[in-house]
Amino acid sequence: MLATLSLKQRMYLQFFLAVLPLAVVFGYQMLSTNNLPEKVDRLLSVYDLTLRASTEFKNFLNGVADAVDTGTLSDKSMRSLADSATLTTALLASSPSQNIKDVSIVLEKIQAAVAAKNSIETLMPLREDIHFVDSALITEGVILKTQLFTIVSD
């Protein structure tokens, strides 16, 4: 048997039922975006590492272009290659992916070859590896930028 509610009780119940869905939606939204700043900060730091590694590798490539004229790589180009490898290792530690793992392996190969003999003749057989690293770092940057845009726009 249903008990009849007084007018005052019915008003409270109707108000509660009207506000409940809105409160649930707000609560869900608050909980789902609670860690958004941490996600964005982490992704921004990984994106920054990628951009820095790509920039250092571009500096190395500029040194390779100069090495065509001089026959040897400059110390600045060697440092840029080492910095790029260090940043890629840090990138691999903070955001492991197969692409970055492959880049890290190829960078070690390039470093070892250049450390053994610092000449343009050493670099010529490594053209495909050098191109791979350059394009892979650019691709990784585009992927991270897309992920960042997706997180922020959602």
Side-chain angles (χ1 to χ4, degrees):
M1 180 167 191
L2 294 174
T4 50
L5 299 174
S6 69
L7 180 61
K8 184 178 182 180
Q9 290 172 334
R10 276 191 303 199
M11 284 178 41
Y12 281 128
L13 180 63
Q14 288 174 345
F15 180 76
F16 175 74
L17 291 175
V19 173
L20 181 65
L22 187 60
V24 169
V25 168
F26 281 146
Y28 173 76
Q29 187 173 9
M30 240 175 37
L31 292 175
S32 68
T33 60
N34 190 24
N35 63 348
L36 183 63
E38 290 87 14
K39 283 181 185 178
V40 170
D41 285 344
R42 184 183 115 4
L43 199 54
L44 274 175
S45 68
V46 171
Y47 182 60
D48 181 54
L49 279 173
T50 304
L51 289 179
R52 288 173 41 209
S54 183
T55 300
E56 288 299 328
F57 196 74
K58 292 285 185 201
N59 291 339
F60 166 71
L61 290 178
N62 289 337
V64 170
D66 292 341
V68 170
D69 296 332
T70 63
T72 60
L73 274 173
S74 66
D75 290 337
K76 183 180 177 184
S77 297
M78 298 287 284
R79 277 193 309 277
S80 292
L81 179 62
D83 290 346
S84 180
T86 302
L87 289 167
T88 302
T89 303
L91 183 60
L92 185 60
S94 65
S95 177
S97 73
Q98 187 61 42
N99 189 26
I100 295 300
K101 186 176 182 180
D102 294 342
V103 167
S104 184
I105 291 168
V106 173
L107 274 173
E108 288 175 11
K109 178 183 171 184
I110 295 169
Q111 273 188 300
V114 171
K117 186 176 180 194
N118 181 6
S119 70
I120 193 69
E121 290 83 21
T122 306
L123 292 170
M124 291 311 283
L126 299 173
R127 286 181 296 191
E128 288 182 22
D129 291 335
I130 291 170
H131 178 70
F132 166 74
V133 171
D134 186 34
S135 62
L137 286 174
I138 291 170
T139 301
E140 192 69 21
V142 169
I143 290 169
L144 290 169
K145 187 176 182 179
T146 303
Q147 289 175 356
L148 188 61
F149 179 76
T150 302
I151 285 176
V152 171
S153 66
D154 286 344

